[in-house]
Amino acid sequence: MSKGPLDGVLVVSIEQAVAAPYCTSRLADAGARVLKVERPEGDFARGYDQAADGESSYFLWLNRGKESVVIDMDDATDHKLLLAMIDKADVLVHNLKPGALERKGLGPEAMRQRNDRLITCGISGYGDTGPYATRKAYDLLIQAESGLCSITGGPDEPARVGISIVDIASGAAAQSAILEALIQRGITGRGCDIRISMFDVIADWLSVPYLHAASGQTPQRIGLAHPSISPYGVFTTADGQDVLLSIQNDREWTLFAQKVLEAPEMASDPQFSTNKARLANRAIVDATVAAAIARRSNEEITRVLLDANVAFAGVKDMTGLIAHPHLATTRTAMPAGASVTHPAAPAIIDGARRGQNARIPALGEHTASIRAEFGS
């Protein structure tokens, strides 16, 4: 019985940390068999923390459903084993420094001469060419170098996005490109080489603030507000609860002015009738909205906003997420047998959610069986 659309696809991944493991975890969720190649000391993400019942939270999140094989690429026997694995693979993924696989005789061109159906995907900080190609690159370094930190945080100073957003975005870009390549291979019968630059990925995501800055309107950090939409920000209720609300267009503003602000004249007032006008008069708009929210309790404003069909959210912390009534969770089994509850994978296909009830591998857990299978 097929366990997913990628059932039968063999992925060999020479991976560590977040970007490549994110990509291959999603391929594994879709049914691919993922052979995770680890150094003798293991993926260093195994040691990031012990938050998941003594195991690394990062490792649990990104390595469910994979098989772990320990390989020393400087060892002749292990090198032969890796070649044998790649010869039978559909996809080879890695996030080593540019040129690292080529120096081991495992570069994309050489591997595709042995296996012309092979899809190779390399994830690196700055790509294979250009003035920064040889630099070491990690998530926060790219956040800073790309300018992402400059538009994140409050007015006083830049900030890191609170998750490994560059790694995650790069892993998602790699997954998408691999799926496209599998479709293409189904037509041509041949594999291809994919290169993903973390810097390029996040630069693309920064297109809107880039274009604003290029036009002479450099975005300013404004915390939990929106630089291009008003009103869009956090306001406090009479009982001290923070509410983040968003008015996306002038039609919504008319309803908001009538039903929430109880000031229908603001809908037609030229100072406030368009988003451009509201941005120019943001201080007045925000003060008016703040006063309207402050008159009501959280329960009351929730009822009013729902009735007006206004988009809004509570401002939660991680405790709030853990207790959230809308949160879907799954359990991942640990090598020692216990299991840990965490947010479920987002994709639901034909009513089934991907990645349910999987397991993370112990370091080298599958080395012996993979050696036997691949003849080394």
Side-chain angles (χ1 to χ4, degrees), residues 233-318:
V234 176
F235 304 92
T236 305
T237 64
D239 51 350
Q241 299 297 304
D242 286 337
V243 176
L244 176 62
L245 61 84
S246 168
I247 301 300
Q248 288 285 310
N249 55 58
D250 298 334
R251 177 184 53 80
E252 289 185 357
W253 168 252
T254 297
L255 290 172
F256 184 74
Q258 293 170 349
K259 295 189 174 186
V260 182
L261 301 182
E262 298 175 340
E265 68 279 3
M266 293 187 73
S268 56
D269 188 326
Q271 291 187 91
F272 313 115
S273 59
T274 67
N275 183 63
K276 183 178 180 180
R278 291 192 296 276
L279 283 172
N281 295 283
R282 186 195 289 269
I284 299 172
V285 172
D286 284 355
T288 305
V289 175
I293 303 300
R295 289 197 300 267
R296 301 174 173 101
S297 69
N298 188 64
E299 181 179 352
E300 290 169 330
I301 197 60
T302 296
R303 185 168 58 249
V304 170
L305 291 172
L306 287 172
D307 180 63
N309 198 26
V310 171
F312 70 100
V315 182
K316 310 288 188 182
D317 58 13
M318 287 302 98

Side-chain angles (χ1 to χ4, degrees), residues 15-35:
E15 62 179 27
Q16 56 200 352
V18 175
Y22 182 93
C23 168
T24 57
S25 72
R26 275 28 187 184
L27 299 177
D29 283 349
R33 182 186 180 195
V34 177
L35 306 184

Side-chain angles (χ1 to χ4, degrees), residues 70-192:
V70 169
I71 287 181
D72 179 353
M73 286 192 287
D74 292 324
D75 178 87
T77 300
D78 282 4
H79 191 276
K80 182 180 177 182
L81 170 62
L82 185 55
L83 280 175
M85 292 162 57
I86 295 171
D87 283 346
K88 295 184 179 180
D90 296 286
V91 181
L92 172 64
V93 179
H94 76 89
N95 59 340
L96 304 178
K97 289 184 66 175
L101 283 185
E102 285 82 352
R103 289 191 290 273
K104 302 294 183 183
L106 301 168
E109 293 78 12
M111 293 303 94
R112 214 164 3 266
Q113 286 180 10
R114 300 171 61 98
N115 176 4
D116 66 357
R117 291 177 56 81
L118 181 68
I119 295 164
T120 54
C121 179
I123 304 172
S124 63
Y126 295 97
D128 295 72
T129 60
Y132 284 31
T134 60
R135 289 196 181 192
K136 283 189 174 182
Y138 303 116
D139 179 273
L140 181 52
L141 300 179
I142 300 289
Q143 287 196 37
E145 188 70 42
S146 67
L148 175 58
C149 293
S150 76
I151 60 167
T152 305
D156 294 336
E157 60 184 359
R160 170 188 180 267
V161 176
I163 57 174
S164 300
I165 190 69
V166 176
D167 282 332
I168 297 166
S170 300
Q175 176 204 8
S176 176
I178 288 168
L179 296 177
E180 291 177 17
L182 286 168
I183 294 171
Q184 176 180 275
R185 192 185 70 174
I187 299 169
T188 67
R190 296 185 60 82
C192 65

Side-chain angles (χ1 to χ4, degrees), residues 30-79:
R33 182 186 180 195
V34 177
L35 306 184
K36 180 182 179 72
V37 175
E38 299 193 65
R39 297 183 174 99
E41 63 272 23
D43 179 344
F44 53 71
R46 287 182 179 272
Y48 276 174
D49 59 54
Q50 296 180 312
D53 195 40
E55 300 282 348
S56 165
S57 59
Y58 285 84
F59 195 83
L60 175 141
W61 171 43
L62 298 173
N63 292 283
R64 59 177 179 260
K66 301 179 184 180
E67 300 171 47
S68 170
V69 53
V70 169
I71 287 181
D72 179 353
M73 286 192 287
D74 292 324
D75 178 87
T77 300
D78 282 4
H79 191 276

Side-chain angles (χ1 to χ4, degrees), residues 51-58 60-61 64 318 321-324 327-334 337-345 355-358 360:
D53 195 40
E55 300 282 348
S56 165
S57 59
Y58 285 84
L60 175 141
W61 171 43
R64 59 177 179 260
M318 287 302 98
L321 176 60
I322 291 168
H324 204 289
L327 176 67
T329 60
T330 189
R331 295 186 69 81
T332 293
M334 316 301 283
S339 61
V340 173
T341 299
H342 58 93
Q356 295 286 77
N357 303 311
I360 64 168

